[in-house]
Amino acid sequence: MILSPSMIQMKAVTSVAQGMAIALTIFRVLLRLHIRRFWWEDAWAAVAGLCGMAHLINSWVHLLCHGTTCVVSFWATTFMSTGVNWSARMSILFAIARIARHTQRLYRLSMGFAILFSLTCAGFVVQKARDFESSSKWYQLPCPSCRVGHPMAAYQLAAKAVADTILVVFSFRLLWNLNLPSRQRRMILAIFSSSIIMSIFSLFHAIAHFLISTWVETVAVNLEVLSSLIICNLLVVVTYAYRVLNREPDDPEDDDYSGPIPSVSTSQRLTTISLDLVTDTSASLRPLDSPATFVPNRKEDTRSV
């Protein structure tokens, strides 16, 4: 395949950006392991990072090689882009689930959405494999590639839009009903914003596909992968930067400001006061010429007020 200078420049720019996003993923995983807060959301982010690395390598192999190697790299690039997009969404979903872990109804709902996202991603992979395998004519092209049909592209766009809507509505629902600290509230608002950004890049990808412009669609795929990698790691990186730049004296060193919601709110906690202490204090304040008051000895009585 003959590469024009503009194609090489665009690919180089997107590759550098993807490399930075992968480095961000590595930083996020190492940070979470260091503070001993590694959870499922971080595992899904690691999966997205691995898929991003495979996508970056195979995209260059697809441009520079020929024959069977080019065909295999196209298959890998296509499947890895799907893996990045949906692993990033799973990471955001599990970030919400971690916050709502002590709210059983919301936590179970998030697990149901996780199953739905997994089945949707698996369905995309199977359907793409069937479309690519149904015709082998594209194997003989100078730069082998195969485009999915318009119905499949529309279905992918609709599924991504629904998934992002679920993330937005679910995070807003969590924010609306629960009395969260301001730091956790800011994190959920970040989730809200990032889901919208992913939808915008998914829409751009779909428009490029419907325009039947292979090169524009390639750029759109790279940008969608890049945005998914950055967004799924942005939550942890932003909270880390906030902790470093705006740390208060009483903040623990490993606080990521995104822990689970406490099962009992501060306003519901009970204060215990010793009645003996109150009695002793009142006796010490009684005038010296006041009549003695007999107070029977008893065990310490505590009541909740």
Side-chain angles (χ1 to χ4, degrees), residues 35-276:
I35 65 177
R36 299 181 180 180
R37 295 284 183 89
F38 192 89
W39 204 58
W40 286 107
E41 69 198 78
D42 307 296
W44 280 110
V47 171
L50 292 175
C51 291
M53 293 176 61
H55 177 272
L56 178 60
I57 295 172
N58 283 280
S59 63
W60 277 104
V61 172
H62 180 253
L63 289 177
L64 301 177
C65 296
H66 303 278
T68 304
T69 303
C70 191
V71 173
V72 173
S73 63
F74 173 78
W75 279 76
T77 302
T78 303
F79 293 149
M80 291 302 103
S81 64
T82 302
V84 171
N85 295 331
W86 286 97
S87 296
R89 288 176 170 86
M90 290 287 286
S91 178
I92 296 175
L93 179 61
F94 274 91
I96 302 175
R98 180 163 61 91
I99 299 176
R101 194 163 47 190
H102 293 305
T103 308
Q104 290 298 322
R105 185 173 62 86
L106 294 179
Y107 182 74
R108 291 173 183 174
L109 186 61
S110 64
M111 293 299 100
F113 287 146
I115 295 174
L116 178 62
F117 285 13
S118 300
L119 293 177
T120 303
C121 179
F124 283 152
V125 172
V126 172
Q127 186 60 42
K128 285 183 178 181
R130 291 182 59 183
D131 290 346
F132 295 164
E133 191 63 28
S134 61
S135 177
S136 59
K137 294 181 180 180
W138 61 275
Y139 287 5
Q140 310 303 323
L141 295 176
C143 182
S145 62
C146 182
R147 297 167 57 88
V148 298
H150 287 353
M152 180 62 180
Y155 172 59
Q156 289 186 78
L157 176 61
K160 292 176 182 178
V162 170
D164 294 336
T165 302
I166 288 174
L167 294 176
V168 171
V169 174
F170 191 34
S171 59
F172 182 78
R173 179 78 166 78
L174 182 64
L175 181 65
W176 182 265
N177 285 330
L178 297 178
N179 184 20
L180 294 176
S182 60
R183 292 170 182 173
Q184 291 187 358
R185 190 181 298 271
R186 281 191 290 267
M187 178 183 175
I188 297 179
L189 288 175
I191 296 173
F192 172 82
S193 302
S194 63
S195 300
I196 294 177
I197 295 173
M198 285 197 297
S199 296
I200 293 174
F201 280 99
S202 298
L203 178 61
F204 175 55
H205 180 196
I207 292 175
H209 179 83
F210 291 136
L211 293 177
I212 316 178
S213 177
T214 303
W215 177 240
V216 175
E217 184 178 4
T218 301
V219 174
V221 171
N222 290 330
L223 291 177
E224 187 178 11
V225 169
L226 171 63
S227 64
S228 298
L229 280 175
I230 293 177
I231 289 168
C232 78
N233 294 301
L234 198 61
L235 303 174
V236 173
V237 174
V238 167
T239 54
Y240 173 77
Y242 179 85
R243 178 169 63 86
V244 172
L245 298 177
N246 299 278
R247 183 181 176 187
E248 298 178 0
D250 57 342
D251 286 345
E253 294 183 357
D254 63 343
D255 186 12
D256 62 353
Y257 307 144
S258 61
I261 299 169
S263 57
V264 180
S265 62
T266 305
S267 60
Q268 295 175 333
R269 293 178 182 174
L270 302 179
T271 304
T272 303
I273 302 176
S274 175
L275 296 182
D276 285 346

